[in-house]
Amino acid sequence: IVKGNTLSGLTCIMTGKSSLIERNEFKQIVVEQGGKVSSSITGKVDIVLLGDSAGPAKVKAIAQLQQDGSKIRTVTDQEFLQMIGKSN
């Protein structure tokens, strides 16, 4: 993956499991694309890669933040890869 700035200034987190991207690869991509990786769902998170079997507490936290006006956005693994210009 080529370094870039696709995620510059954005904070991202991955929750659940993905068949397309490993958690460590996700972290590496985010950093290489200029973003930050978060370890928890907060109002500071911009993008959540919502994988399979995402915990119900995290899904509820995301929904609550969105309801409260947060700009948090959920994407699938495929959508994330498309965002950074790498499609499977």
Side-chain angles (χ1 to χ4, degrees), residues 39-70:
S39 58
S40 60
I41 304 288
T42 69
K44 295 180 181 179
V45 172
D46 299 290
I47 298 172
V48 178
L49 191 161
L50 197 58
D52 297 331
S53 305
K58 286 190 178 175
V59 173
K60 184 177 179 181
I62 293 164
Q64 185 63 53
L65 285 166
Q66 289 172 328
Q67 187 175 12
D68 292 343
S70 173

Side-chain angles (χ1 to χ4, degrees), residues 3-4 7 26-37:
K3 289 186 180 187
L7 301 174
F26 170 80
K27 291 178 181 179
Q28 180 182 353
I29 290 169
V30 170
V31 171
E32 287 177 351
Q33 293 295 318
K36 296 179 187 174
V37 178

